[in-house]
């Protein structure tokens, strides 16, 4: 009765490993590029800028809700809250908020199509992370 059982030791070791993996696991960054021939940059820009089509580009997204939306076709901002499956842990879901800035600018006498986005994601409502994506289409 005075000595802890093996079951408590095993549970304690598993808990320490879980906390270590949760707090000290590194984020992996990857970039994927695809060249689509015979398509206008504006067409690709319009497709990527529309979050309702994001489920086809990112199948881990399960559902989304547009929180705000304003601007015009050349300078447009919107915020979206979405739920996605984690790619590394597919049985867990994550809630995130994305703020998008979609714009068309003229640079060197050519149009530059840009989709900027900042995403805030929180695990268990506590561990939060912010990251930014910029997608120019020339």
């Amino acid at each position: 009765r005075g000595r802890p059982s093996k079951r408590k030791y095993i549970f304690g070791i598993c808990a320490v490993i879980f906390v270590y993996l949760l707090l000290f696991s590194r984020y992996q960054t990857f970039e994927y590029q695809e060249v689509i021939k015979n398509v206008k940059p504006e067409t690709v820009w319009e497709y990527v800028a529309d979050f309702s089509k994001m489920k086809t580009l990112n199948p881990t997204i399960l559902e989304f809700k547009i929180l705000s939306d304003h601007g015009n076709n050349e300078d447009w901002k919107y915020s979206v809250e979405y739920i996605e499956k984690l790619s590394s842990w597919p049985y867990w879901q994550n809630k995130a908020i994305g703020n998008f800035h979609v714009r068309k600018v003229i640079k060197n006498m050519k149009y530059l199509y840009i989709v900027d986005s900042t995403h805030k994601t929180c695990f268990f409502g506590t561990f939060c992370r912010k990251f930014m994506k910029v997608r120019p289409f020339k």
Side-chain angles (χ1 to χ4, degrees):
R1 185 170 170 115
R3 290 179 34 197
S5 67
K6 287 183 182 181
R7 185 178 288 176
K8 288 183 182 178
Y9 279 126
I10 292 172
F11 178 76
I13 290 170
C14 290
V16 168
I17 290 171
F18 178 75
V19 169
Y20 175 79
L21 290 174
L22 187 65
L23 296 177
F24 297 105
S25 62
R26 293 186 180 170
Y27 293 103
Q28 295 180 351
T29 303
F30 68 95
E31 182 176 320
Y32 177 78
Q33 292 185 4
E34 181 70 35
V35 176
I36 304 170
K37 296 180 181 182
N38 302 322
V39 176
K40 294 179 183 178
E42 186 172 12
T43 305
V44 177
W45 172 71
E46 287 175 354
Y47 190 88
V48 171
D50 185 357
F51 200 86
S52 66
K53 296 187 175 115
M54 197 60 68
K55 288 172 103 173
T56 59
L57 297 172
N58 182 359
T60 63
I61 295 176
L62 301 173
E63 59 185 76
F64 69 92
K65 178 173 63 172
I66 302 294
L67 302 175
S68 67
D69 181 15
H70 61 329
N72 58 36
N73 191 35
E74 293 187 8
D75 192 356
W76 174 37
K77 291 182 180 182
Y78 67 93
S79 295
V80 63
E81 178 181 75
Y82 58 95
I83 296 174
E84 64 182 344
K85 284 192 244 179
L86 299 176
S87 56
S88 54
W89 296 323
Y91 300 107
W92 288 8
Q93 294 180 1
N94 180 48
K95 185 186 281 190
I97 294 179
N99 296 305
F100 290 81
H101 187 188
V102 180
R103 61 190 191 274
K104 181 178 4 177
V105 296
I106 297 176
K107 188 173 185 179
N108 297 333
M109 302 299 288
K110 290 186 177 182
Y111 278 113
L112 182 63
Y113 303 94
I114 300 172
V115 178
D116 288 331
S117 63
T118 304
H119 302 260
K120 181 180 179 187
T121 180
C122 295
F123 301 100
F124 308 117
T126 327
F127 304 105
C128 295
R129 177 178 168 228
K130 237 181 179 179
F131 59 96
M132 186 171 166
K133 296 179 183 179
V134 177
R135 298 181 186 127
F137 302 96
K138 298 178 184 180

